[in-house]
Amino acid sequence: MDLNFNKNEDHNKLLLSDLRQKFTKVKLGGGEKRIQKLHSEGKMTARERIDYLLDKGKRIEIGGFVGEGMYAAYGGCPSGGVVVKIGYIKGRQCIVVANDATVKAGAWFPITAKKNLRAQEIAMENRLPIVYLVDSAGVFLPLQDEIFPDKEHFGRIFRNNALMSSMGITQISAVMGSCVAGGAYLPIMSDEALIVDKTGSIFLAGSYLVKAAIGENIDNETLGGATTHCEISGVTDYKAKDDKDALDKIKNIFNKIGDYDKAGFSRIKAAKPSLDENDIYGILPKARNEQYDMMEIINRLVDNSEFEAYKDGYGQTIITGYARIDGWAVGIVANQRKVVKTKTGEMQFGGVIYSDSADKATRFIANCNQKKIPLVFLQDVTGFMVGSKSEQGGIIKDGAKMVNAVSNSVVPKFTIIIGNSYGAGNYAMCGKAYDPRLIVAWPSAELAVMGGTQAAKVLAQIEASALKAKGEIVDETKEAAIFDKIKARYDEQTSPYYAASRLWTDAIIDPLETRTWISMGIEAANHSPIETKFNMGVMQV
C-alpha cells in the first residue's frame, strides 16, 4: 500500500471512531440517571425493549442522529426522543418504533413527529408490519405550534394508521407507559393493542385535567389503567404483567402471521466481495476534491467483486451496470470521481455529470425498471457541467431526462452518499426528494448546494461589497475574516450529522455496513409488489 492509501485509511477510520463515540452518547438518551429511574419503576428503556423484542442478528436503525444539535434551549432531544429499528420478530421482517421516556418523558418534539412519519412511510412503501412501543407524555407543549396543525404534523400519524389498516399492513401497539391526549389514538387505531399493568395508561385527559374540566376526582390508574381498558372499556386487547410479558405476547402474535405477496426481485446465494472490503478506508480520499476510481469502491461492495458494466466506454463520469449485493440483483448508478478521457480526446472532470453521462444513466434506469431490478445510487457528485459548450450541447435537457427517469422509476431505489452531494447532482442521483426507500451517508459525506469553499467565496464577496457600499474599509485581512466565518458556518451545515439530525438521511453508517442496509432494504421492498409501470416516454423528453 502507498503512503496516500495509509493517510486516507487513518483519516476515514478517525471519522468512523468519531461516529461511534457520538452514537454511544446518543444511545444514552436522556442520560444514565433517567435510565436508572426507569429501571427503578420496573420498566425497560426503549432500546432495551427493542433489543429484547427483535431476533438476534441483522437490524438497522433509522434516524439515530435525529435531533443532534437541535432544541438546545430545552435540553436537547437525543435521537428525536424515539428509537426506530428495522429487524425481525420470529423471522418476520418488521419496523419497531419505541418512545424514549428518558427524553422529556417521551414527549413529542417537532422532529419526533417527522421521525415517526418516516417510520410509517417505510412501513407503507414496503408493506412492513409495524410495532409501536408507547411510552409518551404527549406533545411537547412549548413547541406545540410546530407539531400540531399542519399536514406533516402529529395528526398525520393517525391518518397513516388508518391508511395502513386499509392496506392490510399489520400494526401492533404496546402501551408500556403514558399514552395521553391525541396520542391515545395511535394504539387504538392499531390492529391489536396491549397494555402493561400498573405502568401503562391511556386517557384523553389525565386526572388533573379531568378535575379542572369537570370537577371529578379520580386517579390515573382507575381512569385509564390496564384493568380499566382490558376489563371495562375494552379499549385494549391484552393485559401484560410487565414489559417482557408484553414483548413476549407480541412475539407470539408475530409467530402466527401468514406469508406475504412478494415483488419477486432476483436473489441467489449471497457471496462476499472477493476483494477486501476494508480497503475502502484507504481508497476513499481524505480531501473531497481528490480523484479516485469509484470502481475500486464498487468492487468491494458487490458479491464476488463481479460487475457487468453498461455502456462502459460512454458517458464515463457516471458508472452504470449490474451486480449482486448479498445475493440480490441490483442496478448500480455511481459517480466516477477520476478525470476521464473521451474517444474524441476531451477530458471530463470526475464527479461532474455531463450530457453523455446523464443520457446513459437515463437509459440504464429505464432498463432496470423493465427488468424489475432495484437501483442503488452511489453519490459523490459536484453537479452538472456548466459553461457555454455544455449549455449549447443541451445539458439542461439531458439533465431533465435523468431527473425524470429517477422520478418515474417504480423499482425500489437506495441511495448511499459516499462523498459530495451537491446541487442538482443530489437530485439526479436520487436524493431524499426522489423517494429512495432508504438513504444513508458515510462519515465522509457532504450535502449542500455547492462546496463550502466555493459557497464561502461567493457569499464573502457579496458581504464585502455590501460593507464597502456602506463606506467601510475592507482590506485583505477583513476579507479573510469574513471568508473564514462564512466557511465555518457553511461547513457545519454540510456535515453528515447536520443532515442526519434533520432526517435528510436515514443514518450515518460505517461503509462496511452498506451491504447490510441495501440487502435489508431490498428484502423489505420485496414485501410490496410493483403495481405501476415505468413511463418509457421519459426517453423522448
Side-chain angles (χ1 to χ4, degrees):
M1 299 296 177
D2 60 21
L3 180 60
N4 197 47
F5 182 99
N6 292 334
K7 287 181 178 179
N8 292 338
E9 184 177 43
D10 290 343
H11 172 74
N12 287 308
K13 286 189 174 180
L14 281 173
L15 291 180
L16 184 58
S17 175
D18 186 46
L19 170 66
R20 288 171 175 161
Q21 288 176 22
K22 286 178 182 290
F23 194 56
T24 296
K25 183 178 179 181
V26 164
K27 287 193 291 187
L28 291 175
E32 293 181 351
K33 287 185 178 179
R34 290 178 182 171
I35 291 173
Q36 290 170 4
K37 184 175 183 294
L38 274 188
H39 288 166
S40 70
E41 295 169 354
K43 297 166 68 175
M44 303 165 74
T45 67
R47 292 184 178 278
E48 288 167 346
R49 288 166 176 167
I50 292 178
D51 286 344
Y52 182 84
L53 180 62
L54 292 178
D55 299 345
K56 303 299 181 187
K58 289 195 302 183
R59 56 183 71 173
I60 55 179
E61 180 166 346
I62 304 296
F65 284 104
V66 161
E68 179 82 358
M70 300 171 70
Y71 311 116
Y74 302 102
C77 186
S79 221
V82 62
V83 183
V84 177
K85 292 191 180 185
I86 299 175
Y88 305 84
I89 300 175
K90 295 295 183 180
R92 179 67 183 261
Q93 194 177 35
C94 63
I95 186 164
V96 183
V97 181
N99 299 115
D100 187 347
T102 69
V103 180
K104 292 290 188 294
W108 290 62
F109 285 69
I111 199 68
T112 314
K114 185 174 183 178
K115 185 171 175 179
N116 275 266
L117 289 170
R118 175 61 178 145
Q120 289 184 320
E121 180 183 40
I122 291 171
M124 288 190 286
E125 283 183 331
N126 300 292
R127 298 183 184 269
L128 276 184
I130 185 167
V131 176
Y132 307 98
L133 305 181
V134 184
D135 194 345
S136 171
V139 168
F140 186 63
L141 292 178
L143 298 174
Q144 65 85 27
D145 62 319
E146 298 179 39
I147 188 175
F148 172 63
D150 209 347
K151 182 177 179 180
E152 298 296 332
H153 283 179
F154 195 59
R156 188 80 169 182
I157 291 164
F158 314 132
R159 172 260 194 191
N160 287 349
N161 288 140
L163 283 186
M164 283 191 279
S165 181
S166 71
M167 295 167 69
I169 298 171
T170 298
Q171 301 177 81
I172 298 172
S173 291
V175 179
M176 311 178 85
S178 297
C179 183
V180 300
Y185 288 104
L186 185 148
I188 311 313
M189 293 186 75
S190 300
D191 300 311
E192 295 183 87
L194 306 85
I195 186 168
V196 178
D197 195 20
K198 300 296 185 286
T199 58
S201 59
I202 308 171
F203 34 66
L204 295 181
S207 57
Y208 292 118
L209 185 54
V210 168
K211 172 67 174 176
I214 64 174
E216 180 183 3
N217 287 306
I218 190 169
D219 63 89
N220 283 338
E221 181 63 25
T222 306
L223 182 65
T227 299
T228 295
H229 286 310
C230 286
E231 300 177 19
I232 301 174
S233 72
V235 165
T236 51
D237 306 305
Y238 307 90
K239 182 197 285 190
K241 63 182 181 180
D242 55 25
D243 282 6
K244 287 188 176 181
D245 187 37
L247 299 171
D248 285 335
K249 289 181 186 299
I250 294 173
K251 292 181 183 182
N252 291 336
I253 294 169
F254 261 78
N255 202 29
K256 298 172 181 66
I257 296 176
D259 204 357
Y260 56 90
D261 295 331
K262 296 177 176 62
F265 302 122
S266 171
R267 191 181 198 187
I268 61 174
K269 184 178 179 181
K272 291 184 177 181
S274 58
L275 297 177
D276 188 354
E277 297 172 74
N278 288 284
D279 288 347
I280 289 173
Y281 301 124
I283 295 167
L284 193 65
K286 177 179 178 179
R288 294 302 332 122
N289 60 351
E290 288 184 17
Q291 296 181 49
Y292 66 97
D293 187 352
M294 179 63 84
M295 276 307 309
E296 294 297 325
I297 300 289
I298 292 172
N299 287 334
R300 287 160 177 82
L301 293 177
V302 301
D303 291 12
N304 294 316
S305 301
E306 294 175 349
F307 181 79
E308 187 67 35
Y310 171 81
K311 288 185 177 290
D312 192 24
Y314 176 72
Q316 294 177 70
T317 62
I318 286 184
I319 296 168
T320 52
Y322 304 103
R324 289 189 181 273
I325 292 178
D326 198 34
W328 294 102
V330 296
I332 294 176
V333 181
N335 302 112
Q336 176 57 285
R337 281 292 309 185
K338 67 178 183 179
V339 174
V340 297
K341 182 186 289 187
T342 67
K343 285 188 175 181
T344 61
E346 178 189 4
M347 302 303 292
Q348 293 187 342
F349 296 107
V352 179
I353 302 175
Y354 290 77
S355 284
D356 54 358
S357 304
D359 175 66
K360 177 172 79 169
T362 300
R363 294 173 184 274
F364 181 71
I365 290 167
N367 288 345
C368 287
N369 274 266
Q370 187 180 50
K371 296 178 177 69
K372 204 159 69 171
I373 299 173
L375 284 159
V376 174
F377 292 83
L378 302 178
Q379 283 196 16
D380 193 347
V381 58
T382 53
F384 285 90
M385 190 58 190
V386 296
S388 60
K389 185 175 181 180
S390 292
E391 297 292 359
Q392 292 168 12
I395 187 65
I396 295 176
K397 177 188 68 176
D398 292 319
K401 285 182 183 179
M402 184 174 174
V403 170
N404 201 329
V406 173
S407 303
N408 283 290
S409 178
V410 295
V411 296
K413 299 167 290 192
F414 302 90
T415 301
I416 315 297
I417 304 175
I418 290 175
N420 302 327
S421 180
Y422 295 160
N426 170 282
Y427 300 160
M429 291 295 293
C430 198
K432 183 66 181 289
Y434 293 82
D435 297 322
R437 295 294 177 96
L438 295 171
I439 176 170
V440 297
W442 288 2
S444 48
E446 292 184 358
L447 289 80
V449 171
M450 63 177 71
T453 299
Q454 298 93 317
K457 283 181 180 178
V458 173
L459 293 171
Q461 288 171 3
I462 294 171
E463 187 171 329
S465 296
L467 291 173
K468 289 176 183 177
K470 292 178 181 179
E472 293 190 29
I473 298 174
V474 181
D475 56 17
E476 289 185 4
T477 302
K478 179 74 171 178
E479 285 183 349
I482 293 171
F483 172 83
D484 290 342
K485 179 181 176 182
I486 293 174
K487 188 173 186 303
R489 185 179 74 241
Y490 205 87
D491 285 346
E492 178 187 354
Q493 294 176 354
T494 63
S495 160
Y497 295 97
Y498 192 91
S501 71
R502 288 151 180 82
L503 210 54
W504 300 344
T505 61
D506 290 317
I508 306 171
I509 66 169
D510 180 343
L512 302 192
E513 295 173 344
T514 304
R515 283 169 52 85
T516 297
W517 274 79
I518 294 171
S519 177
M520 289 187 69
I522 298 175
E523 182 180 352
N526 205 36
H527 287 73
S528 182
I530 297 172
E531 298 175 352
T532 55
K533 291 184 178 180
F534 177 70
N535 178 17
M536 294 298 290
V538 68
M539 302 297 288
Q540 279 75 51
V541 170

